[in-house]
Amino acid sequence: VFKCARIDGKIDSLCWSNDGKLLAAGTGYRDGAEGFVCTWNMTQDSPDQYMSLNAIRSRPTLRFGRTYALSFSNDGKFLFCGDTVGSIWCINLESERIVGLLQNHNDIVYDLCLHPNGTSLYSVSLDKTIAVIVIPEECGGVKGARDSYQQHAAAA
């Protein structure tokens, strides 16, 4: 068992990267309503050597809700975070910047699941919906995938 000094309340979500090198935890900043996400490099031999890589929290200029759902991109470069207000945030882990906002729900996002081919993200919400989201390029998506999906949907 290891404890993160940066998280001072209950942890609402936990997620491994596909390669098993990164672990992410989602919660509320100071156990409140504003979002807070931490990631760790888990390639060390013992818990006291695990290195905290990122700590991203809601700020006055960019607010996001408490984080209830997490999913890494297939390459581990992006982290998708579902929050209490129905938004899904895409964080570029290298720059520690939020690079995308996906708004497909109007209540708590409880789970996120990336398609194995990495082109779409599935989410479920307390609003009783399942959203299928074609991942935009700025969040690691395939160039032209959104256009291809829209053309396919229009033809159906």
Side-chain angles (χ1 to χ4, degrees):
V1 175
F2 73 99
K3 187 170 176 84
C4 175
R6 294 181 181 195
I7 296 178
D8 56 0
K10 74 177 185 116
I11 295 172
D12 299 307
S13 53
L14 201 60
C15 181
W16 282 99
S17 62
N18 286 344
D19 62 8
K21 293 180 180 178
L22 301 174
L23 179 68
T27 184
Y29 182 66
R30 298 188 185 220
D31 211 21
E34 293 185 1
F36 187 65
V37 177
C38 284
T39 62
W40 294 272
N41 178 341
M42 302 298 283
T43 59
Q44 305 303 319
D45 293 331
S46 68
D48 60 334
Q49 294 175 332
Y50 296 154
M51 185 169 69
S52 178
L53 295 176
N54 307 93
I56 298 133
R57 72 176 184 94
S58 179
R59 305 213 183 277
T61 55
L62 188 59
R63 294 201 182 275
F64 59 96
R66 190 177 185 104
T67 306
Y68 273 69
L70 296 168
S71 182
F72 281 96
S73 62
N74 285 345
D75 61 9
K77 294 180 180 179
F78 298 92
L79 182 64
F80 297 95
C81 310
D83 72 11
T84 54
V85 296
S87 299
I88 299 169
W89 299 88
C90 176
I91 299 172
N92 179 317
L93 293 175
E94 187 175 294
S95 67
E96 293 190 9
R97 294 191 178 269
I98 294 172
V99 295
L101 170 61
L102 310 168
Q103 296 178 299
N104 297 82
H105 297 290
N106 55 28
D107 209 335
I108 299 169
V109 176
Y110 271 114
D111 202 5
L112 297 169
C113 181
L114 192 70
H115 190 278
N117 69 13
T119 60
S120 53
L121 181 71
Y122 293 74
S123 59
V124 295
S125 170
L126 190 61
D127 66 9
K128 301 177 185 172
T129 62
I130 298 172
V132 181
I133 305 157
V134 178
I135 298 173
E137 289 177 54
E138 62 270 18
C139 296
V142 176
K143 184 175 183 170
R146 284 190 139 187
D147 297 334
S148 174
Y149 177 79
Q150 288 171 346
Q151 289 170 359
H152 178 70

